[in-house]
């Protein structure tokens, strides 16, 4: 099994710029657009950032983020 990070990022944020706007709304300023763009390019979010994103998404929506749809079988 593998977590489809790129689909998650695109579904939840659309673009690196949108993700930066989301983080800016929560006064997160210790990541830059270049780093976030690499998350999309590499299809990977650093382990220290994924829980931060999930926590702010939970705060924003008022409910936990569903992750199961992003689990994919590896062929």
């Amino acid at each position: 099994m593998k977590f489809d990070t790129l689909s998650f990022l695109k579904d939840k944020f659309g673009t690196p710029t949108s993700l930066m706007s989301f983080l800016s709304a929560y006064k997160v300023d210790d990541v830059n657009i270049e780093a976030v763009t690499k998350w999309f390019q590499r299809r990977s979010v650093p382990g220290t950032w994924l829980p931060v994103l999930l926590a702010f998404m939970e705060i924003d929506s008022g409910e936990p983020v569903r992750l199961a749809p992003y689990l994919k079988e590896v062929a």
Side-chain angles (χ1 to χ4, degrees):
M1 295 299 279
K2 178 183 172 190
F3 186 75
D4 187 352
T5 306
L6 183 59
S7 291
F8 172 79
L9 290 171
K10 285 183 174 182
D11 288 351
K12 301 301 182 182
F13 302 105
T15 66
T17 303
S18 295
L19 177 47
M20 286 299 300
S21 294
F22 176 80
L23 291 172
S24 292
Y26 287 98
K27 310 259 190 272
V28 175
D29 60 6
D30 51 346
V31 67
N32 58 45
I33 188 68
E34 292 82 13
V36 170
T37 299
K38 287 185 187 221
W39 297 354
F40 280 77
Q41 291 171 346
R42 293 178 180 158
R43 301 171 178 246
S44 178
V45 176
T48 56
W49 278 102
L50 186 57
V52 172
L53 293 179
L54 295 173
F56 283 130
M57 292 170 70
E58 182 176 338
I59 292 166
D60 196 58
S61 70
E63 57 188 43
V65 179
R66 294 198 63 231
L67 298 177
Y70 299 100
L71 288 177
K72 305 294 178 192
E73 292 259 353
V74 176

